[in-house]
Amino acid sequence: CGSANTLDNISPMTISLWIRPFSQGEGIQSAIIGKNTSSGGSVALRFNSGSLYALRFTKGGTTSLNVVTVNNVVTPGKWQHIAVRWSGSTLATTVNIYVNGIEYGYGTQTNGVTLASDAGNNFVIGNSGDGSRTFDGEIAEVAIWNAYLDKSDIQSLASGVARMPLQIHKESLRGYWPL
């Protein structure tokens, strides 16, 4: 499920997926999922450039909302669950990034200013919208909700039960790709 308009400007938002990266990908900042291009609004989850296996959530604006985990939260070659929840606010403290149900510390938290629309961008899994940040690995069980799921939901998603996203808050599930 998930069509172009159901994925536009989702706020609040929770993203859930499983990844097995073999490296940090193209340019050491591969895109995991997102609606992003070099121009206009965007929303993306990717590896952070200049960091070692740190995750970055970005929502574009005149000043983009950016939250980057500390290094080494992701282990190459292993399957791990990633979840991001964002309240829809411009405040970086309203973004939480979890790996296997655990929220690690953050190296960077930048508040956003005047967040921009992402409606003109396609939703892409495993690369950036312009094809310049290829993910090197496997991605599965991608789900996006128009809701700020609670920690117990994140932990249930990280439990590894197949198709779990279809059982949690179905009314706000905007897209699900088992891959």
Side-chain angles (χ1 to χ4, degrees):
C1 71
S3 65
N5 62 350
T6 61
L7 298 174
D8 288 345
N9 300 310
I10 296 176
S11 171
M13 171 192 293
T14 299
I15 300 166
S16 170
L17 53 95
W18 288 85
I19 63 170
R20 182 177 168 211
F22 301 127
S23 73
Q24 290 190 156
E26 193 170 6
I28 312 173
Q29 57 183 348
S30 66
I32 300 169
I33 65 166
K35 292 185 71 172
N36 58 336
T37 60
S38 56
S39 61
S42 66
V43 61
L45 174 64
R46 64 183 174 97
F47 283 116
N48 190 54
S49 175
S51 300
L52 188 60
Y53 291 101
L55 296 170
R56 177 180 186 163
F57 174 81
T58 301
K59 174 64 178 152
T62 53
T63 297
S64 293
L65 171 66
N66 284 300
V67 176
V68 180
T69 65
V70 294
N71 286 340
N72 298 308
V73 298
V74 173
T75 304
K78 288 187 160 187
W79 279 104
Q80 50 235 291
H81 181 262
I82 308 297
V84 178
R85 60 184 193 157
W86 169 51
S87 73
S89 165
T90 58
L91 299 176
T93 56
T94 68
V95 175
N96 308 98
I97 301 174
Y98 298 88
V99 178
N100 297 324
I102 299 168
E103 183 177 17
Y104 290 90
Y106 300 101
T108 302
Q109 291 180 296
T110 306
N111 292 334
V113 176
T114 314
L115 300 179
S117 172
D118 61 36
N121 299 331
N122 292 324
F123 177 73
V124 179
I125 298 172
N127 210 329
S128 58
D130 63 6
S132 67
R133 295 183 178 159
T134 306
F135 181 79
D136 178 27
E138 299 173 271
I139 302 173
E141 296 281 318
V142 177
I144 299 176
W145 290 264
N146 188 190
Y148 189 74
L149 300 185
D150 62 38
K151 287 181 184 180
S152 65
D153 292 327
I154 301 297
Q155 290 169 342
S156 293
L157 290 163
S159 72
V161 175
R163 304 214 182 266
M164 177 60 77
L166 297 175
Q167 301 172 34
I168 295 177
H169 297 282
K170 289 188 274 187
E171 73 285 352
S172 59
L173 184 64
R174 294 294 178 245
Y176 173 67
W177 301 266
L179 304 172

